[in-house]
Amino acid sequence: MPTSTPSPKASRAPATKASAKKSGATKKAGPGKKAGLGSDQLAQPVTVLKGVGAALAEKLAKLRIHTVEDLLFHLPLRYQDRTRVTPMGAVRRGDEVVVAGQVALADVTKGRRKALIVRLSDGTGSITLRFFHFNMAQKNQFQKGTLVRCYGEARPGASGLELYHPEYRLVAQDHPMEMEDHLTPVYPLTEGLTQNRLRQLIHLALEELKKAEVIDWLPQSLFPNLPSLKESLLLLHEPPPDAPVYDLKDYKHPSQHRLILEELIAQQLSLLKLRQQHKHHQAPVFHSTGMLSQQMLAQLPFPLTGAQSRVIHEIERDIQQGSPMLRLVQGDVGAGKTLVAAMAALQAIEAGYQVAVMAPTEILAEQHFNNFTQWFTPLGLEVAWMAGKLKGKARQTQLERIADGAPMVVGTHALFQETVEFKQLGLIVVDEQHRFGVHQRLSLREKGQQGDLYPHQLIMTATPIPRTLAMSAYADLDTSVIDELPPGRTPIETVALADTRRDEIIQRIAAACHQGKQAYWVCTLIEDSEALQCQAAETTFDDLKERLQGLNIGLVHGRMKPQEKAEIMARFKANELQLLVATTVIEVGVDVPNATLMVIENPERLGLSQLHQLRGRVGRGDQQSYCVLLYHTPLSKNGKARVAVMRETQDGFKIAEKDLELRGPGEVLGTRQTGLAQMKIADLVRDQYLLNDVNKAANQLIEHYPENLTPLVERWLGGAEQYAQV
Ligand code: ADP
Ligand code: MG
């Protein structure tokens, strides 16, 4: 989970269901169709290569390699330099190098761990080889004066730089040393396939590539300084000895740029294409006089913020056009997104359409239900309810109300998963679902389709998507930002304390509650198990009850019945309970302004965005609020970094940027849904400095090279599958 961020390249190996379907990839470039590299030869299955039978093809398929071309796009993770011998005096720690020198000494150390130590020198310096597994015959090979060549990673050790278990060879004095004639690529592997075998195969594929003619769908004129795709692929698999190793390592080599740009541009074009197709559909036009929204505003005890008004206008413009809106509204916790959704809903309702509001959890859905009921009942509008747990007669009643055209329907996923029939759905509002991927957005829309008309769609998220990512991962959406909080909010003071100071905190809660305040105590996930999390919350609940006898304490967790949960929440809201022990189920939406203290146990287990959401439960009134991050020592480096970010800022956008940096786009966006983690070479975080170029180039392609769009997208995204789901 959040503590480590594996390289996106290394983590892309497991094939998802969607990609497994690609096993028919050989079909994708039929004759006359210019998919992929545009060469029929390269589009052949790997079995055309010498020595590749069914068994090997099956192993390759695990790496999503089906064709010769797929081999070419299976890019090295890194390189080894076996083209030259590095003088020992020039080796730096961390370098992976070939060194050669004479044995100065070979000895077995007896210390904590028995090891064979071989000291080599080459006149410029010396280096020590260290073997923990060895036999005596091996030791005896290393006679003083013997010339040894080895390859390994130089690490600082007891005697200066050391190579642990290097690959090595004894070299006859009079024999010339053979070296590799290009840098050695290191590829992602799968079980039963060795580096050497894969290198041979890719070498064969490169021979085919040399003969083939590759069309550059990204015209040379757009990036005059970059090599062609063909040159780039050839170089990246077998870089010449003088290739700049450090550039390659940082993905800053022009050949890498070429591929990264192509891939990002293709990604972006595919989303733009989705958006274009989306805009071609028809949607209801909401002409309304604004009467209902006027009424609603008049009954509110406060005016809209400037940002709320602006975003409402942006939405209004969309829904008065005949094509379906697909708009993402981003706004920090407490920015007042619900009200914006309500104003949009009233437009649809006044025009005679139904609105569905979907929330990710039942608690949040209930809260919306209560809000909308409170706002809409005085306007004479009915609010219906739908959730998976709603059963029997009650369910039947709600289904009928929805089918009869109840103007407002609030619920969970059940709204779209179950057999719910709307009479005339005009607008779908999805709350807090930044983890929705492209395809889910599409499928929602399909479900609401009625005849030729598609409903408008509004997505609201409190976890802002960093601008750079929004540009690429959400290019199919329009976005609005509510960048202003309602006035009168006091910033939350966040402190981080080691859990050795738990007692102190418990006393502080007692003091705050005796002054009439309320507090949350949040227990975090121990493992990926809801059961364990609930258990932890129960234990904490018992412990706190024992130690805070004068207080009324409640407990909510995911395994309680919705009604129980709702009851506890209601009692907390009414200040009958002063302390609420909870799991992260309270993450979203809960609104109790009198709660001014939140303790989060083991915050290091959570991502930044989730912490930010949780913290947003306090600081909702005009009193000073506090958030205590009660961390478990020792904190990892990443854990420390996250706690520091939480203390420093309360700006959701900054937090999202940091989250992205610390956890990578896969975690932040939800890997599988977005498909972004499956990119072949690009990495949205590492390569974000290229995104402006990507945008520009995508637009130029659209304008000047429309015929290149489809083949470019197909080359990188495998075409057919991408659009099949539209
Ligand atoms: P979020 O954006 O986190 O969903 P909510 O919609 O839950 O925020 O709003 C948070 C709180 O702010 C609610 O109590 C809501 O009534 C209040 N609120 C919303 N808009 C305004 C406003 N313009 N002025 C004052 N309070 C507002
Ligand atoms: Mg909300």
Side-chain angles (χ1 to χ4, degrees):
M1 269 201 42
T3 41
S4 77
T5 309
S7 139
K9 297 283 111 29
S11 62
R12 81 180 123 92
T16 61
K17 252 193 201 144
S19 66
K21 275 196 297 193
K22 283 194 188 173
S23 50
T26 47
K27 285 179 236 140
K28 81 183 172 195
K33 236 183 105 197
K34 296 229 173 74
L37 291 171
S39 147
D40 287 346
Q41 188 57 28
L42 297 177
Q44 305 261 356
V46 277
T47 44
V48 302
L49 295 177
K50 217 172 122 197
V52 183
L56 184 51
E58 212 168 285
K59 282 178 198 153
L60 289 168
K62 291 208 185 106
L63 293 170
R64 295 197 264 149
I65 298 172
H66 309 283
T67 62
V68 177
E69 181 178 309
D70 292 338
L71 275 170
L72 295 170
F73 280 106
H74 192 68
L75 294 163
L77 292 169
R78 56 193 184 86
Y79 301 92
Q80 299 173 341
D81 187 352
R82 297 164 187 266
T83 64
R84 75 191 96 205
V85 176
T86 305
M88 288 176 186
V91 175
R92 289 179 288 174
R93 61 191 287 179
D95 285 352
E96 287 182 82
V97 285
V98 179
V99 291
Q102 287 178 320
V103 175
L105 166 141
D107 200 6
V108 175
T109 61
K110 293 268 161 24
R112 218 158 22 100
R113 210 169 151 199
K114 208 166 126 182
L116 168 61
I117 302 284
V118 181
R119 196 163 184 78
L120 301 180
S121 21
D122 68 353
T124 70
S126 63
I127 257 180
T128 301
L129 318 186
R130 190 179 286 269
F131 300 88
F132 294 109
H133 308 283
F134 62 94
N135 54 41
M136 276 306 135
Q138 204 175 354
K139 187 203 160 200
N140 293 334
Q141 289 180 323
F142 294 111
Q143 293 299 325
K144 198 168 170 181
T146 308
L147 186 56
V148 181
R149 177 165 54 124
C150 41
Y151 179 85
E153 184 190 341
R155 307 196 221 175
S159 55
L161 288 179
E162 300 191 348
L163 307 180
Y164 288 17
H165 282 272
E167 296 169 33
Y168 72 93
R169 190 184 295 174
L170 307 185
V171 191
Q173 294 286 13
D174 52 357
H175 201 271
M177 276 192 241
E178 301 159 27
M179 302 301 293
E180 300 278 342
D181 54 11
H182 54 77
L183 300 183
T184 310
V186 179
Y187 294 105
L189 291 177
T190 184
E191 213 183 308
L193 188 66
T194 63
Q195 278 298 343
N196 275 334
R197 188 77 185 100
L198 191 54
R199 281 177 196 145
Q200 285 164 359
L201 291 176
I202 290 178
H203 186 76
L204 292 177
L206 291 170
E207 292 304 312
E208 295 300 327
L209 174 63
K210 283 177 194 159
K211 287 183 266 172
E213 202 181 310
V214 174
I215 302 168
D216 276 326
W217 299 119
L218 200 57
Q220 197 68 25
S221 59
L222 292 188
F223 295 101
N225 298 324
L226 293 183
S228 70
L229 178 61
K230 181 170 169 175
E231 286 169 313
S232 300
L233 286 171
L234 289 170
L235 182 130
L236 289 177
H237 286 289
E238 298 185 343
D242 60 351
V245 184
Y246 290 98
D247 284 355
L248 285 169
K249 203 169 167 179
D250 294 343
Y251 286 82
K252 295 264 160 66
H253 190 280
S255 296
Q256 288 165 322
H257 273 172
R258 167 84 201 193
L259 291 163
I260 291 168
L261 284 165
E262 274 210 16
E263 183 163 40
L264 289 174
I265 290 168
Q267 187 91 32
Q268 175 124 34
L269 287 173
S270 86
L271 287 175
L272 289 175
K273 183 160 176 177
L274 284 179
R275 175 198 172 109
Q276 213 181 27
Q277 286 169 339
H278 185 67
K279 292 285 174 199
H280 275 139
H281 290 299
Q282 286 181 21
V285 179
F286 302 151
H287 291 301
S288 74
T289 59
M291 195 187 63
L292 285 176
S293 27
Q294 289 311 322
Q295 266 177 281
M296 158 103 184
L297 284 179
Q299 79 187 17
L300 284 178
F302 46 73
L304 295 173
T305 63
Q308 282 172 321
S309 301
R310 177 173 44 75
V311 173
I312 291 168
H313 275 297
E314 287 166 0
I315 295 169
E316 275 173 2
R317 231 179 301 136
D318 288 351
I319 56 187
Q320 283 169 7
Q321 275 154 22
S323 68
M325 166 174 74
L326 192 48
R327 184 171 286 278
L328 178 72
V329 173
Q330 308 185 53
D332 215 336
V333 181
K337 293 182 290 294
T338 323
L339 191 51
V340 168
M343 299 296 283
L346 290 175
Q347 309 279 322
I349 292 169
E350 207 183 311
Y353 287 88
Q354 284 174 292
V355 178
V357 174
M358 183 171 88
T361 67
E362 202 151 326
I363 287 194
L364 185 58
E366 275 164 15
Q367 189 159 300
H368 279 324
F369 178 76
N370 294 336
N371 269 331
F372 285 110
T373 306
Q374 194 192 332
W375 286 334
F376 286 9
T377 312
L379 306 179
L381 304 174
E382 187 187 350
V383 183
W385 167 251
M386 182 49 59
K389 286 175 185 146
L390 192 64
K391 294 272 155 35
K393 189 133 188 286
R395 178 184 191 83
Q396 205 46 47
T397 310
Q398 295 298 333
L399 284 173
E400 277 162 23
R401 293 174 70 193
I402 298 168
D404 281 350
M408 189 72 185
V409 187
V410 181
T412 59
H413 288 79
L415 270 179
F416 294 100
Q417 285 170 348
E418 316 287 320
T419 48
V420 180
E421 293 250 356
F422 288 87
K423 186 167 180 219
Q424 199 174 23
L425 184 60
L427 171 67
I428 301 172
V429 179
V430 182
D431 193 16
E432 313 276 9
Q433 277 292 16
H434 70 291
R435 289 188 179 87
F436 254 41
V438 176
H439 296 306
Q440 277 146 311
R441 300 201 279 273
L442 292 171
S443 77
L444 254 190
R445 187 190 74 198
E446 306 273 281
K447 280 180 180 133
Q449 184 189 351
Q450 312 221 315
D452 288 338
L453 290 186
Y454 286 85
H456 297 282
Q457 205 170 317
L458 192 62
I459 300 165
M460 301 192 294
T461 177
T463 312
I465 291 127
R467 253 166 287 275
T468 46
L469 272 191
M471 246 170 28
S472 350
Y474 290 81
D476 62 326
L477 299 179
D478 294 304
T479 54
S480 294
V481 183
I482 310 180
D483 50 6
E484 180 188 355
L485 293 180
R489 302 262 163 96
T490 331
I492 303 163
E493 195 172 308
T494 301
V495 290
L497 294 177
D499 56 6
T500 45
R501 297 173 64 181
R502 205 165 187 265
D503 291 346
E504 247 171 80
I505 295 305
I506 294 176
Q507 290 322 310
R508 191 158 153 191
I509 290 178
C513 290
H514 284 125
Q515 284 172 17
K517 311 273 172 59
Q518 289 171 277
Y520 296 99
W521 185 293
V522 182
C523 304
T524 54
L525 207 67
I526 295 186
E527 280 165 40
D528 228 355
S529 149
E530 201 195 347
L532 282 179
Q533 186 179 203
C534 299
Q535 212 176 47
E538 270 164 16
T539 312
T540 306
F541 173 62
D542 291 340
D543 176 53
L544 290 174
K545 241 187 352 195
E546 176 90 23
R547 298 172 58 173
L548 292 168
Q549 296 205 352
L551 298 184
N552 296 320
I553 307 179
L555 168 70
V556 279
H557 61 59
R559 296 212 143 184
M560 289 164 56
K561 294 208 178 80
Q563 204 179 340
E564 274 179 279
K565 272 190 288 192
E567 226 165 81
I568 299 284
M569 290 310 303
R571 290 182 58 204
F572 187 62
K573 207 161 177 163
N575 202 356
E576 286 169 31
L577 300 172
Q578 287 92 53
L579 175 61
L580 186 66
V581 177
T583 55
T584 49
V585 296
I586 59 153
E587 183 181 343
V588 279
V590 179
D591 196 18
V592 182
N594 191 46
T596 55
L597 175 61
M598 171 173 284
V599 178
I600 304 177
E601 258 192 299
N602 303 312
E604 67 276 8
R605 289 176 182 154
L606 301 180
L608 277 178
S609 298
Q610 206 181 359
L611 285 171
H612 179 61
Q613 291 282 314
L614 278 172
R615 180 171 61 181
R617 299 310 110 210
V618 293
R620 305 206 131 216
D622 46 14
Q623 309 172 65
Q624 176 64 52
S625 291
Y626 301 88
C627 175
V628 179
L629 304 174
L630 200 57
Y631 62 85
H632 188 62
T633 47
L635 263 184
S636 69
K637 201 169 148 212
N638 195 292
K640 273 189 197 138
R642 269 179 285 146
V643 166
V645 172
M646 290 302 290
R647 281 174 35 199
E648 278 156 23
T649 180
Q650 222 174 299
D651 177 333
F653 269 97
K654 275 193 200 139
I655 288 176
E657 303 270 0
K658 278 284 172 195
D659 208 19
L660 181 65
E661 217 173 273
L662 293 168
R663 291 195 303 162
E667 285 285 333
V668 174
L669 293 174
T671 317
R672 286 193 309 143
Q673 287 93 332
T674 56
L676 286 169
Q678 289 166 27
M679 287 198 283
K680 292 182 169 80
I681 182 167
D683 176 321
L684 281 173
V685 178
R686 184 193 65 211
D687 305 325
Q688 50 181 300
Y689 71 102
L690 292 173
L691 290 172
N692 274 329
D693 291 347
V694 168
N695 256 357
K696 244 191 277 164
N699 288 328
Q700 280 175 326
L701 279 169
I702 291 171
E703 199 168 323
H704 302 296
Y705 304 91
E707 64 286 356
N708 290 16
L709 304 184
T710 305
L712 184 62
V713 171
E714 286 190 0
R715 170 177 289 171
W716 288 93
L717 292 141
E721 291 88 350
Q722 180 73 10
Y723 301 128
Q725 301 176 46
V726 174

